Amino acid sequence: MRLLVLTHTFPPSTHANAKRPFYIVRACLEAGWQVDVVTSPLGLAEPSPECLAHPALRVLRLDDPLGRLLRRSRANPALFRLLALAAAGLLWPDTSRGWAQKALRIAVQQGRYDRSLAFILPASLLLSGRVPGLVNSTWTFDYQEPVTPQQRRLRRRSPLQRVGLPRLAALERQTLARAGCVVFTAETNRQAYIAEGLVNPNATAHIPYFFDAAAFAGPAVTVRPDFEIVYFGTFDWRGARSPETFLRALAGFLAQTPEARARTRFIFYGTWLPDHTRLLDELRLRDVVALHPPLAYADYLRALRESQVLLLVVASAHALFMPSKIVDYFGAGRPILAFVPRQSEMRHVLDQAGMAEFACDEGDVAGGVAALTRLWARYQANTLTGGGERVGFWSSATQLPRYLEVLRAGKAG
């Protein structure tokens, strides 16, 4: 079986969306498939050797001028934001159009594949439906994130993008109608696509994010000694996924329990936005906060297992998303301090996994203080644990066989 994978990000990229393509490609190689991956340098701090080597694997990283410009401008946050907002407002369907057009030309030039798998985002990969004869029943689209339904719920700032929304919906409908299967990581997203008539329900499958069972099956690690609440990733500069509720809860907890301050730390790994530094000053938390850049994949897995408490923040504006980190948290087996909308799918996932003991509503500062107080008591008693048999549903051992069966069949199971 010859498989083409189109994914904007692929390890050693530290981008959160890189993990799912990596797991699936690795499983296909283990199943004896030949795999070509067309990707980009997104999430690579510097040129790095590929982290997956196999005689049946080819990885082609394509760059584009806009991507290079944005990476060079990151040293100047104000310039980066200006360029990113301008590109997001002017380019259709998104800023990855240049990369996607290169990737689709490669797909055409390489000839016929037995199966093709395209990961959304970026939305620009949906332009594949406009390439004559390219997308057919052998194609699967994997929606890690929503496109049109999300833009209906959270309107774009750009008038050009708002005017172009019907055109974007038509592109999705046209492209997905030609595909054999459309896979969604979130059931709420699948239902939204069905409700808006963007996809045939019989051509869809819900296969959630899953953690790599092998990565968490190694010997037990030593958890770091301090009372550390650890977060991986980024917060939203538009405020939809903000650290504010957690930071106010942390400040409230330390005010009520001053003896905990010497042992308490908030450890952040990712891209910290300068907009959020004012909260650290306002709440006098500078002495308990450590900001670090994103971790390489192996270091990320180790840090997950060594952490006392893992922080999850989900916004109601992102109700159609499933954050990939939630399943890695399950795999690590550490307690989760979660700020999650009470009626959301992700709150339901936490409940199903038996990991909702320290869950609060997304804006519940008092609930966060109470949860931190309970976690501190468990920390002092050396009884901070998490996970259990119920998290196995979100394991690669459970979900990868389902995914490979969809790819083999070329349609929803």
Side-chain angles (χ1 to χ4, degrees):
M1 187 87 75
R2 188 172 179 233
L3 172 68
L4 170 68
V5 176
L6 303 175
T7 174
H8 200 208
T9 181
F10 193 77
S13 168
T14 57
H15 195 286
N17 283 4
K19 293 177 292 185
R20 186 172 173 96
F22 175 81
Y23 298 152
I24 293 164
V25 166
R26 188 178 59 186
C28 289
L29 292 169
E30 291 171 354
W33 296 20
Q34 178 184 335
V35 184
D36 290 352
V37 176
V38 180
T39 185
S40 81
L42 181 68
L44 297 180
E46 56 188 27
S48 306
E50 298 297 340
C51 61
L52 186 58
H54 192 282
L57 171 67
R58 293 193 302 172
V59 178
L60 178 61
R61 292 193 183 268
L62 305 175
D63 207 352
D64 66 279
L66 177 59
R68 287 193 295 270
L69 178 61
L70 289 174
R71 287 197 301 278
R72 285 198 294 266
S73 69
R74 279 192 177 276
N76 184 329
L79 177 61
F80 171 76
R81 179 177 294 193
L82 177 64
L83 291 173
L85 288 174
L90 296 173
L91 292 179
W92 187 90
D94 61 17
T95 57
S96 298
R97 182 181 181 119
W99 172 83
Q101 288 175 323
K102 284 187 175 182
L104 295 175
R105 281 197 293 270
I106 294 293
V108 172
Q109 293 166 4
Q110 292 298 311
R112 185 171 179 81
Y113 288 86
D114 297 299
R115 298 290 184 270
S116 297
L117 173 60
F119 286 89
I120 308 294
L121 300 174
S124 289
L125 282 177
L126 293 163
L127 293 170
S128 54
R130 292 188 170 180
V131 180
L134 184 60
V135 178
N136 55 36
S137 62
T138 67
W139 277 63
T140 296
F141 286 88
D142 185 300
Y143 272 80
Q144 297 197 78
E145 300 184 36
V147 181
T148 302
Q150 180 65 9
Q151 291 192 28
R152 293 197 195 284
R153 288 159 174 76
L154 193 64
R155 296 184 70 202
R156 299 287 296 273
R157 292 180 177 180
S158 165
L160 291 175
Q161 298 292 351
R162 291 200 297 270
V163 168
L165 186 55
R167 181 183 173 206
L168 180 59
L171 175 65
E172 283 202 275
R173 191 176 295 110
Q174 171 192 354
T175 301
L176 300 183
R178 297 174 177 174
C181 186
V182 185
V183 176
F184 294 89
T185 58
E187 175 61 17
T188 47
N189 192 26
R190 189 181 79 90
Q191 292 297 336
Y193 269 78
I194 293 171
E196 295 188 18
L198 296 169
V199 66
N200 177 355
N202 296 326
T204 66
H206 171 221
I207 303 180
Y209 280 121
F210 47 84
F211 63 85
D212 183 4
F216 296 103
V221 300
T222 301
V223 177
R224 292 194 291 262
D226 283 341
F227 182 55
E228 294 181 353
I229 302 97
V230 185
Y231 183 87
F232 303 87
T234 60
F235 292 109
D236 191 336
W237 69 19
R238 293 183 67 177
R241 188 178 65 249
S242 167
E244 183 168 358
T245 301
F246 162 69
L247 292 175
R248 293 195 181 282
L250 179 60
F253 161 71
L254 293 175
Q256 289 185 13
T257 318
E259 67 274 16
R261 195 174 195 102
R263 302 299 303 272
T264 300
R265 297 289 181 273
F266 170 48
I267 311 296
F268 175 91
Y269 294 102
T271 303
W272 181 262
L273 299 178
D275 293 9
H276 297 140
T277 301
R278 65 171 180 80
L279 288 168
L280 304 183
D281 295 329
E282 175 191 338
L283 299 170
R284 300 181 180 180
L285 291 173
R286 286 265 191 168
D287 61 315
V288 300
V289 174
L291 306 178
H292 301 285
L295 292 173
Y297 181 65
D299 297 328
Y300 161 74
L301 292 175
R302 183 172 62 252
L304 282 170
R305 301 177 71 199
E306 292 176 348
S307 301
Q308 289 283 0
V309 179
L310 299 168
L311 174 64
L312 177 69
V313 178
V314 178
S316 55
H318 297 154
L320 302 181
F321 293 74
M322 181 178 194
S324 63
K325 66 170 64 70
I326 192 171
V327 294
D328 290 334
Y329 287 8
F330 290 172
R334 302 305 305 158
I336 300 173
L337 173 61
F339 292 88
V340 182
R342 197 169 300 279
Q343 303 304 319
S344 68
E345 181 181 354
M346 290 308 104
R347 177 57 185 261
H348 180 60
V349 166
L350 289 169
D351 287 332
Q352 282 185 304
M355 298 291 284
E357 181 180 359
F358 305 108
C360 320
D361 206 353
E362 63 178 317
D364 187 0
V365 174
V369 172
L372 282 164
T373 301
R374 297 197 305 274
L375 285 162
W376 172 252
R378 296 277 190 90
Y379 165 76
Q380 289 185 300
N382 198 29
T383 57
L384 267 182
T385 58
E389 291 185 1
R390 288 159 65 181
V391 303
F393 176 79
W394 292 272
S395 162
S396 59
T398 301
Q399 299 299 336
L400 262 179
R402 294 184 60 214
Y403 208 112
L404 262 63
E405 182 54 36
V406 166
L407 287 179
R408 286 191 188 98
K411 60 182 180 180

